Amino acid sequence: MITIGEMQISGMLTMIMLSAMLSACIPNRSAHRSSFARARWMMAAGTGLIAVQFLLQHIFGFRQMGVTQAVCCNLLFFTPASLLCSMAVLYVQRQGRIGRRQWLTAGGICALVPIILIGVVLLDGVPFAQESPLLRMTEYAGTVLYVVMQIYIFKHQYTTYLRLKQAVDEYYDRSRRDLFGWMGWSMRTMAVLAIFVPVVLFLKGAPLVLFSIAYFFAIAYSTISLYSYGISENITRVEEASLSPSPSPKSEGSIDPAITQAVEKWKASEAYREHNLTIAIVARQMGLPQRQLQEWLRQSEYGKLAGLVTTLRINEAKRVLKEHPEWSTETVADYCGFSSREYFHRTFRQVTGTTPANFQ
Protein backbone atom coordinates (compact mmCIF):
# COMPACT_ATOMS: atom_id res chain seq x y z
CA MET A 1 0.00 0.00 0.00
CA ILE A 2 1.23 3.50 -0.78
CA THR A 3 2.38 5.38 2.31
CA ILE A 4 1.29 8.91 3.14
CA GLY A 5 4.81 10.20 2.48
CA GLU A 6 4.99 8.57 -0.94
CA MET A 7 1.58 9.93 -1.81
CA GLN A 8 2.62 13.44 -0.83
CA ILE A 9 5.79 13.32 -2.92
CA SER A 10 3.94 11.82 -5.90
CA GLY A 11 1.22 14.44 -5.65
CA MET A 12 3.72 17.27 -5.37
CA LEU A 13 5.70 16.12 -8.43
CA THR A 14 2.51 15.59 -10.45
CA MET A 15 1.21 19.07 -9.67
CA ILE A 16 4.60 20.64 -10.43
CA MET A 17 4.66 18.97 -13.85
CA LEU A 18 1.12 20.13 -14.60
CA SER A 19 1.95 23.70 -13.57
CA ALA A 20 5.07 23.63 -15.73
CA MET A 21 3.11 22.30 -18.70
CA LEU A 22 0.58 25.12 -18.45
CA SER A 23 3.23 27.78 -17.86
CA ALA A 24 5.21 26.64 -20.89
CA CYS A 25 2.14 26.56 -23.16
CA ILE A 26 2.98 27.40 -26.77
CA PRO A 27 2.57 31.22 -26.83
CA ASN A 28 1.51 31.62 -30.47
CA ARG A 29 -1.25 29.01 -30.01
CA SER A 30 -2.80 30.80 -27.04
CA ALA A 31 -2.02 34.50 -27.47
CA HIS A 32 -5.02 35.19 -29.73
CA ARG A 33 -7.38 33.41 -27.33
CA SER A 34 -7.39 35.63 -24.26
CA SER A 35 -9.89 33.44 -22.43
CA PHE A 36 -7.63 30.40 -22.65
CA ALA A 37 -4.46 32.43 -22.00
CA ARG A 38 -5.88 33.62 -18.67
CA ALA A 39 -7.52 30.32 -17.80
CA ARG A 40 -4.26 28.41 -18.15
CA TRP A 41 -2.56 30.73 -15.66
CA MET A 42 -5.46 30.25 -13.25
CA MET A 43 -5.15 26.48 -13.60
CA ALA A 44 -1.36 26.69 -13.23
CA ALA A 45 -1.76 28.69 -10.02
CA GLY A 46 -4.26 26.14 -8.71
CA THR A 47 -2.02 23.15 -9.36
CA GLY A 48 0.90 25.12 -7.95
CA LEU A 49 -0.97 25.68 -4.67
CA ILE A 50 -1.68 21.97 -4.41
CA ALA A 51 2.02 21.24 -4.93
CA VAL A 52 2.91 23.68 -2.13
CA GLN A 53 0.38 22.00 0.15
CA PHE A 54 1.94 18.59 -0.40
CA LEU A 55 5.41 20.04 0.14
CA LEU A 56 4.42 21.58 3.48
CA GLN A 57 2.65 18.41 4.57
CA HIS A 58 5.79 16.41 3.81
CA ILE A 59 8.24 18.82 5.43
CA PHE A 60 6.35 19.53 8.65
CA GLY A 61 4.61 16.16 8.98
CA PHE A 62 1.15 17.57 9.71
CA ARG A 63 -0.46 14.19 9.04
CA GLN A 64 1.85 12.61 11.61
CA MET A 65 0.90 15.32 14.16
CA GLY A 66 -2.77 14.51 13.80
CA VAL A 67 -5.77 14.72 11.57
CA THR A 68 -6.69 18.22 12.71
CA GLN A 69 -3.35 19.74 11.66
CA ALA A 70 -3.37 17.95 8.29
CA VAL A 71 -6.95 18.97 7.51
CA CYS A 72 -6.18 22.58 8.38
CA CYS A 73 -3.32 22.61 5.86
CA ASN A 74 -5.46 20.84 3.28
CA LEU A 75 -8.28 23.35 3.53
CA LEU A 76 -5.96 26.36 3.48
CA PHE A 77 -4.55 25.30 0.10
CA PHE A 78 -7.15 23.02 -1.50
CA THR A 79 -9.95 25.59 -1.24
CA PRO A 80 -8.27 28.37 -3.29
CA ALA A 81 -6.72 25.74 -5.58
CA SER A 82 -10.13 24.23 -6.33
CA LEU A 83 -11.56 27.71 -6.86
CA LEU A 84 -8.87 28.55 -9.42
CA CYS A 85 -9.09 25.21 -11.27
CA SER A 86 -12.89 25.20 -11.40
CA MET A 87 -13.13 28.84 -12.42
CA ALA A 88 -10.53 28.22 -15.13
CA VAL A 89 -12.87 25.68 -16.72
CA LEU A 90 -15.80 28.12 -16.41
CA TYR A 91 -13.64 30.90 -17.85
CA VAL A 92 -12.96 28.83 -20.97
CA GLN A 93 -16.61 27.78 -21.24
CA ARG A 94 -17.76 31.40 -21.24
CA GLN A 95 -14.88 32.75 -23.33
CA GLY A 96 -13.79 34.88 -20.39
CA ARG A 97 -17.22 36.38 -19.72
CA ILE A 98 -17.62 35.68 -16.00
CA GLY A 99 -19.65 38.25 -14.12
CA ARG A 100 -18.41 40.13 -11.08
CA ARG A 101 -21.18 38.56 -9.03
CA GLN A 102 -19.87 35.04 -9.73
CA TRP A 103 -16.31 36.03 -8.84
CA LEU A 104 -17.37 37.80 -5.63
CA THR A 105 -19.65 34.99 -4.49
CA ALA A 106 -17.22 32.14 -5.15
CA GLY A 107 -14.22 34.17 -4.00
CA GLY A 108 -16.03 35.33 -0.87
CA ILE A 109 -16.89 31.77 0.15
CA CYS A 110 -13.30 30.74 -0.54
CA ALA A 111 -11.89 33.63 1.53
CA LEU A 112 -13.98 32.69 4.54
CA VAL A 113 -12.17 29.37 4.90
CA PRO A 114 -8.63 30.69 5.59
CA ILE A 115 -10.02 33.61 7.61
CA ILE A 116 -11.83 31.42 10.12
CA LEU A 117 -9.08 28.78 10.22
CA ILE A 118 -6.21 31.22 10.76
CA GLY A 119 -8.32 33.22 13.21
CA VAL A 120 -8.97 30.16 15.36
CA VAL A 121 -5.32 29.03 15.23
CA LEU A 122 -4.19 32.47 16.43
CA LEU A 123 -6.87 33.06 19.05
CA ASP A 124 -7.57 29.56 20.35
CA GLY A 125 -4.61 29.49 22.73
CA VAL A 126 -3.91 25.81 22.00
CA PRO A 127 -0.56 25.12 20.29
CA PHE A 128 -1.02 24.03 16.67
CA ALA A 129 0.84 20.75 17.31
CA GLN A 130 -1.84 19.76 19.84
CA GLU A 131 -5.40 18.69 19.14
CA SER A 132 -7.90 21.54 19.47
CA PRO A 133 -11.63 20.80 19.65
CA LEU A 134 -12.41 24.36 18.52
CA LEU A 135 -10.14 24.03 15.49
CA ARG A 136 -11.76 20.69 14.64
CA MET A 137 -15.22 22.29 14.70
CA THR A 138 -13.95 25.15 12.57
CA GLU A 139 -12.59 22.66 10.05
CA TYR A 140 -16.03 21.06 9.80
CA ALA A 141 -17.41 24.48 8.94
CA GLY A 142 -14.57 24.99 6.44
CA THR A 143 -15.33 21.75 4.63
CA VAL A 144 -19.00 22.75 4.37
CA LEU A 145 -17.96 26.08 2.86
CA TYR A 146 -15.70 24.20 0.42
CA VAL A 147 -18.62 22.04 -0.74
CA VAL A 148 -20.92 25.07 -1.05
CA MET A 149 -18.32 26.84 -3.19
CA GLN A 150 -17.89 23.83 -5.49
CA ILE A 151 -21.65 23.36 -5.86
CA TYR A 152 -22.06 27.05 -6.69
CA ILE A 153 -19.39 26.89 -9.41
CA PHE A 154 -20.71 23.55 -10.71
CA LYS A 155 -24.16 25.09 -11.13
CA HIS A 156 -22.74 27.79 -13.42
CA GLN A 157 -20.50 25.30 -15.22
CA TYR A 158 -23.39 22.95 -15.92
CA THR A 159 -25.80 25.61 -17.19
CA THR A 160 -23.05 26.96 -19.46
CA TYR A 161 -22.26 23.44 -20.65
CA LEU A 162 -25.90 22.87 -21.59
CA ARG A 163 -25.95 26.12 -23.59
CA LEU A 164 -22.75 25.12 -25.40
CA LYS A 165 -24.18 21.67 -26.09
CA GLN A 166 -27.34 23.13 -27.65
CA ALA A 167 -25.38 25.68 -29.68
CA VAL A 168 -22.98 23.06 -31.07
CA ASP A 169 -25.80 20.57 -31.76
CA GLU A 170 -27.67 23.16 -33.81
CA TYR A 171 -24.62 24.55 -35.60
CA TYR A 172 -22.91 21.48 -37.06
CA ASP A 173 -24.13 18.80 -39.45
CA ARG A 174 -23.51 16.04 -36.92
CA SER A 175 -22.98 15.52 -33.21
CA ARG A 176 -19.73 17.17 -32.14
CA ARG A 177 -19.52 16.34 -28.44
CA ASP A 178 -15.91 15.37 -29.16
CA LEU A 179 -15.11 19.08 -29.33
CA PHE A 180 -15.80 19.76 -25.65
CA GLY A 181 -16.87 16.51 -24.01
CA TRP A 182 -14.02 16.81 -21.51
CA MET A 183 -15.86 19.70 -19.83
CA GLY A 184 -18.70 17.44 -18.78
CA TRP A 185 -16.40 14.79 -17.33
CA SER A 186 -14.24 17.37 -15.58
CA MET A 187 -16.97 19.33 -13.83
CA ARG A 188 -18.94 16.22 -12.83
CA THR A 189 -15.85 14.54 -11.39
CA MET A 190 -14.86 17.58 -9.34
CA ALA A 191 -18.43 17.96 -8.06
CA VAL A 192 -18.59 14.30 -6.98
CA LEU A 193 -15.22 14.51 -5.24
CA ALA A 194 -16.29 17.67 -3.43
CA ILE A 195 -19.22 15.83 -1.89
CA PHE A 196 -16.84 13.37 -0.20
CA VAL A 197 -14.46 16.03 1.13
CA PRO A 198 -16.26 16.58 4.49
CA VAL A 199 -15.85 12.89 5.31
CA VAL A 200 -12.64 11.75 3.65
CA LEU A 201 -10.38 14.56 4.85
CA PHE A 202 -10.87 13.46 8.44
CA LEU A 203 -10.05 9.82 7.77
CA LYS A 204 -6.74 8.00 7.87
CA GLY A 205 -5.12 5.15 5.98
CA ALA A 206 -6.47 3.53 2.82
CA PRO A 207 -9.64 5.67 2.37
CA LEU A 208 -7.58 8.85 2.44
CA VAL A 209 -4.97 7.46 0.03
CA LEU A 210 -7.64 6.26 -2.42
CA PHE A 211 -9.43 9.60 -2.32
CA SER A 212 -6.16 11.46 -2.85
CA ILE A 213 -5.34 9.31 -5.89
CA ALA A 214 -8.80 10.02 -7.33
CA TYR A 215 -8.27 13.72 -6.69
CA PHE A 216 -4.88 13.58 -8.47
CA PHE A 217 -6.46 11.98 -11.52
CA ALA A 218 -9.34 14.47 -11.57
CA ILE A 219 -7.05 17.50 -11.42
CA ALA A 220 -4.63 15.96 -13.94
CA TYR A 221 -7.48 15.12 -16.35
CA SER A 222 -8.96 18.62 -16.10
CA THR A 223 -5.57 20.27 -16.54
CA ILE A 224 -4.40 18.19 -19.50
CA SER A 225 -7.81 18.41 -21.17
CA LEU A 226 -7.97 22.18 -20.78
CA TYR A 227 -4.44 22.48 -22.16
CA SER A 228 -5.19 20.24 -25.16
CA TYR A 229 -8.46 22.04 -25.82
CA GLY A 230 -6.87 25.47 -25.67
CA ILE A 231 -4.09 24.78 -28.17
CA SER A 232 -6.34 22.90 -30.61
CA GLU A 233 -8.84 24.17 -33.14
CA ASN A 234 -11.68 22.73 -31.06
CA ILE A 235 -11.90 25.87 -28.96
CA THR A 236 -12.37 27.93 -32.13
CA ARG A 237 -15.09 25.62 -33.43
CA VAL A 238 -17.00 25.71 -30.14
CA GLU A 239 -16.71 29.49 -29.89
CA GLU A 240 -17.89 29.83 -33.48
CA ALA A 241 -21.02 27.82 -32.66
CA SER A 242 -21.69 29.58 -29.36
CA LEU A 243 -21.37 33.05 -30.91
CA SER A 244 -23.70 32.32 -33.84
CA PRO A 245 -27.09 34.11 -33.82
CA SER A 246 -29.59 32.34 -31.58
CA PRO A 247 -33.09 31.77 -32.90
CA SER A 248 -36.11 32.88 -30.94
CA PRO A 249 -37.89 30.27 -28.79
CA LYS A 250 -39.80 27.67 -30.76
CA SER A 251 -43.14 29.04 -31.84
CA GLU A 252 -46.32 27.32 -32.89
CA GLY A 253 -46.75 29.47 -36.01
CA SER A 254 -46.95 28.12 -39.52
CA ILE A 255 -43.80 27.34 -41.47
CA ASP A 256 -42.83 30.05 -43.97
CA PRO A 257 -43.40 28.68 -47.50
CA ALA A 258 -40.55 30.79 -48.87
CA ILE A 259 -38.07 29.12 -46.53
CA THR A 260 -39.50 25.70 -47.36
CA GLN A 261 -39.02 26.45 -51.04
CA ALA A 262 -35.40 27.49 -50.43
CA VAL A 263 -34.78 24.28 -48.49
CA GLU A 264 -36.26 22.14 -51.26
CA LYS A 265 -34.12 23.89 -53.83
CA TRP A 266 -31.06 23.26 -51.68
CA LYS A 267 -31.98 19.58 -51.38
CA ALA A 268 -32.22 19.28 -55.16
CA SER A 269 -28.74 20.80 -55.54
CA GLU A 270 -27.32 17.92 -53.43
CA ALA A 271 -25.21 20.38 -51.48
CA TYR A 272 -25.81 18.20 -48.43
CA ARG A 273 -23.14 15.86 -49.79
CA GLU A 274 -20.46 18.39 -48.90
CA HIS A 275 -18.34 17.57 -45.87
CA ASN A 276 -18.32 19.48 -42.58
CA LEU A 277 -21.35 21.67 -43.16
CA THR A 278 -22.45 24.25 -40.60
CA ILE A 279 -25.67 26.18 -40.21
CA ALA A 280 -23.83 29.30 -41.40
CA ILE A 281 -22.65 27.59 -44.59
CA VAL A 282 -26.06 26.05 -45.35
CA ALA A 283 -27.91 29.34 -44.71
CA ARG A 284 -25.54 31.07 -47.11
CA GLN A 285 -26.08 28.38 -49.74
CA MET A 286 -29.86 28.76 -49.38
CA GLY A 287 -29.69 32.55 -49.41
CA LEU A 288 -31.43 32.74 -46.03
CA PRO A 289 -30.63 34.49 -42.75
CA GLN A 290 -29.15 31.95 -40.35
CA ARG A 291 -31.63 32.79 -37.61
CA GLN A 292 -34.62 32.16 -39.91
CA LEU A 293 -33.22 28.81 -41.04
CA GLN A 294 -32.69 27.69 -37.45
CA GLU A 295 -36.24 28.70 -36.55
CA TRP A 296 -37.57 26.78 -39.56
CA LEU A 297 -35.58 23.69 -38.60
CA ARG A 298 -36.88 23.82 -35.04
CA GLN A 299 -40.45 23.81 -36.31
CA SER A 300 -39.80 21.13 -38.90
CA GLU A 301 -39.61 17.36 -38.51
CA TYR A 302 -35.80 17.58 -38.54
CA GLY A 303 -35.36 19.70 -35.42
CA LYS A 304 -31.87 20.89 -36.32
CA LEU A 305 -29.36 20.92 -39.15
CA ALA A 306 -27.93 17.50 -38.26
CA GLY A 307 -31.39 15.96 -38.55
CA LEU A 308 -31.94 17.42 -42.01
CA VAL A 309 -28.50 16.57 -43.36
CA THR A 310 -28.41 13.08 -41.86
CA THR A 311 -31.80 12.21 -43.36
CA LEU A 312 -30.72 13.35 -46.81
CA ARG A 313 -27.34 11.62 -46.62
CA ILE A 314 -28.82 8.32 -45.44
CA ASN A 315 -31.42 8.39 -48.23
CA GLU A 316 -28.65 9.08 -50.73
CA ALA A 317 -26.57 6.26 -49.25
CA LYS A 318 -29.48 3.83 -49.68
CA ARG A 319 -29.76 4.79 -53.34
CA VAL A 320 -26.03 4.47 -53.95
CA LEU A 321 -25.80 1.11 -52.18
CA LYS A 322 -28.52 -0.25 -54.46
CA GLU A 323 -27.19 1.24 -57.70
CA HIS A 324 -23.47 0.73 -57.09
CA PRO A 325 -22.87 -2.57 -55.29
CA GLU A 326 -19.26 -2.46 -56.46
CA TRP A 327 -18.50 0.66 -54.39
CA SER A 328 -16.71 0.20 -51.09
CA THR A 329 -18.18 1.46 -47.83
CA GLU A 330 -15.49 4.16 -47.66
CA THR A 331 -16.43 5.39 -51.14
CA VAL A 332 -20.14 5.50 -50.33
CA ALA A 333 -19.46 7.34 -47.06
CA ASP A 334 -17.28 9.93 -48.76
CA TYR A 335 -19.68 10.40 -51.69
CA CYS A 336 -22.66 10.97 -49.41
CA GLY A 337 -20.87 13.48 -47.19
CA PHE A 338 -20.02 11.41 -44.14
CA SER A 339 -16.74 12.38 -42.50
CA SER A 340 -15.56 8.80 -41.95
CA ARG A 341 -16.45 5.19 -42.60
CA GLU A 342 -17.02 4.61 -38.88
CA TYR A 343 -19.40 7.55 -38.56
CA PHE A 344 -21.31 6.42 -41.68
CA HIS A 345 -21.61 2.85 -40.39
CA ARG A 346 -22.79 3.98 -36.94
CA THR A 347 -25.30 6.51 -38.28
CA PHE A 348 -26.68 4.15 -40.94
CA ARG A 349 -27.28 1.49 -38.32
CA GLN A 350 -28.98 3.95 -35.96
CA VAL A 351 -31.34 5.18 -38.66
CA THR A 352 -32.10 1.94 -40.55
CA GLY A 353 -31.52 -0.69 -37.90
CA THR A 354 -29.04 -2.57 -40.08
CA THR A 355 -25.53 -2.16 -41.45
CA PRO A 356 -24.75 -0.86 -44.96
CA ALA A 357 -23.49 -4.30 -45.98
CA ASN A 358 -26.64 -6.07 -44.81
CA PHE A 359 -28.83 -3.44 -46.47
CA GLN A 360 -26.98 -3.91 -49.72
Side-chain angles (χ1 to χ4, degrees), residues 32-234:
H32 65 290
R33 299 187 184 104
S34 59
S35 60
F36 170 66
R38 295 175 183 175
R40 72 185 179 95
W41 286 115
M42 292 164 59
M43 186 72 84
T47 52
L49 283 174
I50 298 174
V52 171
Q53 185 272 151
F54 282 121
L55 177 63
L56 294 177
Q57 289 270 21
H58 187 71
I59 292 176
F60 295 103
F62 293 136
R63 184 60 63 174
Q64 287 73 24
M65 287 184 191
V67 173
T68 302
Q69 293 79 3
V71 171
C72 183
C73 183
N74 286 336
L75 288 173
L76 285 174
F77 287 90
F78 275 173
T79 306
S82 297
L83 170 70
L84 289 168
C85 292
S86 298
M87 291 297 277
V89 175
L90 183 61
Y91 206 80
V92 168
Q93 286 180 312
R94 295 188 173 182
Q95 293 94 50
R97 296 187 294 273
I98 299 181
R100 183 178 299 177
R101 180 180 177 181
Q102 283 78 40
W103 273 115
L104 290 176
T105 303
I109 297 173
C110 175
L112 282 175
V113 176
I115 289 174
I116 61 176
L117 287 175
I118 294 175
V120 168
V121 170
L122 295 177
L123 302 176
D124 186 23
V126 178
F128 185 69
Q130 298 179 15
E131 289 294 319
S132 167
L134 180 59
L135 181 58
R136 174 63 70 92
M137 295 300 299
T138 307
E139 289 171 351
Y140 289 144
T143 57
V144 172
L145 288 173
Y146 175 87
V147 174
V148 170
M149 179 191 73
Q150 286 295 100
I151 292 176
Y152 176 79
I153 298 174
F154 172 77
K155 172 190 170 185
H156 289 281
Q157 287 179 334
Y158 190 66
T159 53
T160 305
Y161 177 78
L162 292 180
R163 287 198 296 268
L164 286 177
K165 175 177 171 292
Q166 180 178 355
V168 170
D169 280 348
E170 293 191 345
Y171 190 76
Y172 290 101
D173 61 351
R174 60 188 177 92
S175 177
R176 294 307 310 268
R177 307 287 171 78
D178 58 299
L179 297 178
F180 64 107
W182 67 271
M183 292 182 187
W185 284 103
S186 177
M187 63 187 187
R188 291 187 184 98
T189 302
M190 292 302 297
V192 169
L193 290 176
I195 295 174
F196 290 96
V197 164
V199 176
V200 178
L201 280 184
F202 294 93
L203 298 179
K204 296 181 179 180
L208 178 64
V209 172
L210 292 175
F211 176 80
S212 300
I213 292 173
Y215 189 86
F216 295 160
F217 275 107
I219 293 294
Y221 175 80
S222 299
T223 304
I224 295 172
S225 298
L226 182 139
Y227 175 87
S228 302
Y229 178 74
I231 64 174
S232 70
E233 292 303 318
N234 289 349

Side-chain angles (χ1 to χ4, degrees), residues 7-17 50-52 54-55:
M7 181 192 68
Q8 292 168 347
I9 294 175
S10 300
M12 179 183 65
L13 294 177
T14 301
M15 295 302 121
I16 289 174
M17 288 189 291
I50 298 174
V52 171
F54 282 121
L55 177 63

